[in-house]
Amino acid sequence: MTRASETIEYMESLQDEEQRLGLMRFFKTGAGDYGEGDEFLGIKVPQTREVVRAASKDFPLGEIPELLMSRWHEVRLCGFLILVDQFERLASKRLEYDEQTIKKRDEIVTLYLQYAEQANNWDLVDLSVYKILGHWLMLRSALGDTDYKRNVLDSLAKSPCLWKQRMSIVCTWYPSHHGAPAWCLRYAEIHLHHPHDLMHKAVGWMLREMGKKHLDLLRDFLRQHAHVMPRTMLRYAIEKLPEAERKQWMAVPTERFQNDYVVKTSPFAGIPLPDFIDIILAHDDNSDEAMYYLLRQRLNRQLGEHYEVFHRQLLDSFEDIIEDFFLYLREGNNGQNRTPYQSFQRIKNKDSFETWLLNTFRNYLSNRAKAEETYLSIDPDRHASNDVPNSLITDEQKLFVASQLIAYAHQVFFPRGRFIFLRSLLTILNKQKALPDREMATALGMTHLSYRVMVHRMKHNLSKFRQRLLCGEQLRLDEQHQHMAQQIYNDFTHLYPTLMTYYTQSIATLKCADAISQLRQHYYEATGYIAHEPEPSTAITINMAGFWEKLDQMLIY
């Protein structure tokens, strides 16, 4: 069968009335249901696959639209599965970089997108999209680069058609299983508040599949969004987690999302590289987000290769390193007169941007690896301990750990991280209600998501540093921060004014003092509470036991 008319005629001859009625009920074809009006022959999927195997190899691409436009559900499925089979033949390793093959793959993708609305039920989407569109995301294409592909998925996500929206998330299954989880995270967040149950299931399913390869990223996503995720979506996402952990996630209090569902996409999608660089160098409020997408989507593989060279000498994961790196690019390091961004502005050839960026990242990793060298205790049993009960730690040891932790955090965190950490400590000491995170993110020129991610990573890293100190390790501090730690240790009663000094310096660096003051005033007028933003004149009596307990609570997440 090499013609559409022959294939349709043969499939119509397989019609089964009893199965047809059952399939119509199963796929919700009644009035008002998501599959309303869909017509079935009553052919099961294995039978359709037999037709595909017999016809696919020599089936002309020009004949497939007739199958896709058929009134019969199974015939449309046959058309989509023929496209899947032909695409997979062209996506073998041997043909991956062949120019003619690339054009043929692009023709299949173009045809698939042209008739995407004909995939008007969940099985038609789920059995085809990740094997065509999802695989295409990971292959070379003559149609465009990663930005172009992201733009294609964004157009599907923004479409009023439910099935196109489902395509934008289900196609991320393939990238998630082949080392590119950013696609899943992006479209899961875009569809987080989708009103339809079929999308809740699809997003949860894709998060679960991503978590099989990237469990830490799944948990990060849940920490940020579990409180607003629809329960169906959450149940699907955590299905493969241990039972005790599933119960914890399901117990997270739910906050109802009040706004109408609106698809939000990155304003930087589809922008050519030279224009992208202009945005980054413009020093506007969204530059960090632009840099994030540039690093994660364009250069993820190359950056990962550089990280692998140094990862045994680094304390942090690749995700944490990337987060810190683009902040370093924007804000520089301690004592630098010129930030890396400002250095790049002197480079006239924008085509050299990626080379410059990768070289800068390699040098950054090298310097960070040297700065994060640690010396293990000579007592291996003490180092091997995973937990040290507080009852066994003296006040002197607690004070030493606290002073080292504060100094080390100030040394390794960049301006926003230092600001958030110092603000957390001052809140602990001052016992006042803190300003809401969303408003603080605005004051810092960050998205709420970026702010929450940074808080989580700050706590995660400090928790690791604290454990290393308790296990007998000594974190390397430069001379300036060793002096800071000794000063805090020698005069703990003056910890509050010492932290206040560093805090004042950090908000001056970030240029957000006026914004925070205004937020504080608005918050007081709206709630009657004096939100915590410390005053230099505040007198605080420091108690070691209370401070240590609160510090422990802050680092448990």
Side-chain angles (χ1 to χ4, degrees):
M1 291 178 289
T2 58
R3 294 186 61 83
S5 57
E6 296 173 356
T7 303
I8 295 172
E9 183 179 352
Y10 175 72
M11 295 186 73
E12 286 177 340
S13 71
L14 300 176
Q15 185 168 350
D16 184 314
E17 182 64 20
E18 183 178 349
Q19 285 184 176
R20 186 183 75 84
L21 295 175
L23 290 172
M24 290 179 67
R25 287 192 298 271
F26 182 74
F27 285 103
K28 307 292 185 184
T29 61
D33 290 333
Y34 60 75
E36 180 179 357
D38 205 354
E39 297 185 66
F40 287 79
L41 289 167
I43 303 175
K44 292 186 177 179
V45 173
Q47 292 175 286
T48 304
R49 289 192 183 277
E50 288 180 8
V51 176
V52 172
R53 279 194 293 270
S56 173
K57 187 175 181 180
D58 300 316
F59 206 92
L61 201 61
E63 290 282 315
I64 292 179
E66 188 174 344
L67 299 179
L68 301 181
M69 293 301 294
S70 172
R71 60 185 283 205
W72 302 116
H73 182 101
E74 295 91 338
V75 174
R76 295 197 303 279
L77 176 60
C78 179
F80 283 116
L81 291 182
I82 289 175
L83 287 179
V84 167
D85 186 71
Q86 292 189 357
F87 187 91
E88 288 183 329
R89 292 174 190 271
L90 297 169
S92 65
K93 287 289 184 182
R94 181 174 60 86
L95 299 173
E96 186 172 343
Y97 298 104
D98 179 74
E99 294 297 331
Q100 290 301 317
T101 304
I102 291 172
K103 290 181 180 178
K104 290 179 181 177
R105 289 199 303 257
D106 288 343
E107 287 178 12
I108 292 175
V109 169
T110 301
L111 181 64
Y112 184 82
L113 292 170
Q114 183 179 352
Y115 290 92
E117 288 192 18
Q118 295 304 113
N120 60 347
N121 217 310
W122 57 265
D123 64 320
L124 300 177
V125 172
D126 297 354
L127 292 174
S128 63
V129 70
Y130 76 91
K131 292 185 176 181
I132 297 178
L133 208 54
H135 199 166
W136 175 70
L137 294 176
M138 304 296 290
L139 296 170
R140 286 185 59 188
S141 170
L143 296 174
D145 59 7
T146 302
D147 283 348
Y148 173 84
K149 294 175 180 178
R150 189 186 311 116
N151 205 31
V152 168
L153 263 62
D154 284 350
S155 66
L156 293 174
K158 291 186 287 186
S159 168
C161 174
L162 172 66
W163 309 114
K164 286 187 175 182
Q165 294 168 4
R166 187 175 174 98
M167 283 180 175
S168 70
I169 181 64
V170 175
C171 76
T172 66
W173 183 95
Y174 192 93
S176 291
H177 279 251
H178 291 81
W183 292 101
C184 176
L185 294 172
R186 174 177 174 80
Y187 292 98
E189 189 166 282
I190 285 174
H191 294 303
L192 190 64
H193 305 294
H194 198 288
H196 204 291
D197 183 67
L198 282 176
M199 289 299 292
H200 300 169
K201 293 176 180 178
V203 173
W205 170 29
M206 289 303 105
L207 288 171
R208 182 185 70 214
E209 292 300 316
M210 183 206 68
K212 291 178 180 178
K213 296 283 187 178
H214 308 278
L215 185 56
D216 289 344
L217 292 182
L218 173 59
R219 286 177 173 145
D220 280 349
F221 187 91
L222 293 174
R223 289 186 188 103
Q224 296 162 28
H225 300 298
H227 63 294
V228 292
M229 290 173 70
R231 295 295 91 177
T232 299
M233 185 188 296
L234 181 58
R235 278 195 297 273
Y236 271 61
I238 65 177
E239 186 176 356
K240 298 299 181 181
L241 297 180
E243 182 179 358
E245 186 175 357
R246 291 202 305 271
K247 289 181 178 178
Q248 290 177 350
W249 288 120
M250 291 305 296
V252 172
T254 304
E255 295 177 13
R256 187 175 297 278
F257 188 74
Q258 300 292 344
N259 298 336
D260 292 335
Y261 172 66
V262 178
V263 171
K264 296 180 180 179
T265 58
S266 167
F268 306 102
I271 295 178
L273 181 60
D275 296 339
F276 212 132
I277 295 169
D278 288 337
I279 292 174
I280 293 170
L281 298 177
H283 291 268
D284 62 15
D285 291 340
N286 292 321
S287 295
D288 282 340
E289 187 177 358
M291 174 55 72
Y292 176 78
Y293 281 112
L294 182 64
L295 295 181
R296 303 301 290 149
Q297 299 295 339
R298 291 181 188 270
L299 300 172
N300 188 67
R301 180 181 58 80
Q302 298 98 309
L303 292 166
E305 290 173 355
H306 285 310
Y307 172 78
E308 285 300 314
V309 175
F310 293 95
H311 80 279
R312 295 185 181 279
Q313 302 161 260
L314 297 167
L315 298 173
D316 296 331
S317 68
F318 178 62
E319 299 294 329
D320 293 342
I321 291 288
I322 290 295
E323 179 81 15
D324 286 346
F325 175 59
F326 76 76
L327 286 172
Y328 158 76
L329 289 174
R330 167 65 61 209
E331 297 163 356
N333 210 339
N334 291 339
Q336 283 189 342
N337 295 325
R338 179 182 291 274
T339 69
Y341 271 149
Q342 292 169 329
S343 298
F344 177 72
Q345 285 178 323
R346 295 176 296 176
I347 301 176
K348 296 180 180 179
N349 182 10
K350 293 179 181 178
D351 293 336
S352 65
F353 176 78
E354 292 189 7
T355 301
W356 169 84
L357 187 64
L358 291 170
N359 289 337
T360 303
F361 185 61
R362 185 182 63 247
N363 294 335
Y364 170 82
L365 291 175
S366 177
N367 294 334
R368 183 157 179 160
K370 292 176 183 177
E372 292 186 358
E373 289 178 6
T374 59
Y375 294 99
L376 301 182
S377 166
I378 59 173
D379 182 353
D381 294 333
R382 187 180 184 194
H383 171 62
S385 171
N386 291 323
D387 194 18
V388 181
N390 280 343
S391 59
L392 301 180
I393 307 172
T394 66
D395 279 351
E396 285 189 5
Q397 289 173 314
K398 291 178 180 179
L399 181 53
F400 172 79
V401 168
S403 62
Q404 293 283 314
L405 195 67
I406 293 168
Y408 195 73
H410 200 268
Q411 176 178 296
V412 301
F413 289 164
F414 292 97
R416 285 176 179 164
R418 285 199 293 272
F419 171 86
I420 294 170
F421 175 58
L422 292 169
R423 183 170 176 269
S424 300
L425 291 184
L426 290 166
T427 302
I428 287 173
L429 296 172
N430 210 31
K431 301 177 183 178
Q432 288 191 29
K433 189 177 183 68
L435 282 167
D437 286 353
R438 194 176 296 275
E439 284 79 356
M440 282 306 307
T442 301
L444 293 174
M446 304 170 67
T447 64
H448 186 220
L449 172 62
S450 298
Y451 181 86
R452 293 179 66 173
V453 168
M454 182 173 290
V455 170
H456 163 67
R457 287 179 176 162
M458 177 202 75
K459 291 182 178 182
H460 177 70
N461 288 335
L462 287 178
S463 183
K464 289 195 299 184
F465 297 152
R466 170 190 175 279
Q467 190 61 36
R468 296 170 80 93
L469 287 163
L470 289 175
C471 290
E473 294 187 22
Q474 180 178 352
L475 303 177
R476 171 165 290 195
L477 296 172
D478 58 31
E479 185 176 346
Q480 173 191 352
H481 293 95
Q482 187 60 57
H483 176 73
M484 178 197 298
Q486 191 62 46
Q487 183 181 21
I488 293 171
Y489 181 83
N490 291 341
D491 202 351
F492 183 74
T493 56
H494 290 88
L495 175 63
Y496 190 90
T498 301
L499 295 180
M500 189 64 232
T501 300
Y502 297 132
Y503 178 84
T504 304
Q505 293 171 358
S506 73
I507 62 174
T509 301
L510 293 169
K511 300 179 176 62
C512 61
D514 291 341
I516 292 173
S517 297
Q518 291 176 11
L519 283 175
R520 191 181 182 202
Q521 181 61 31
H522 293 162
Y523 189 74
Y524 174 72
E525 292 172 356
T527 66
Y529 289 103
I530 300 176
H532 173 74
E533 278 308 326
E535 297 288 353
S537 59
T538 306
I540 300 292
T541 301
I542 309 300
N543 175 272
M544 183 68 244
F547 175 71
W548 182 260
E549 181 182 351
K550 293 291 185 181
L551 185 62
D552 270 0
Q553 291 176 2
M554 185 185 85
L555 299 184
I556 294 174
Y557 59 95

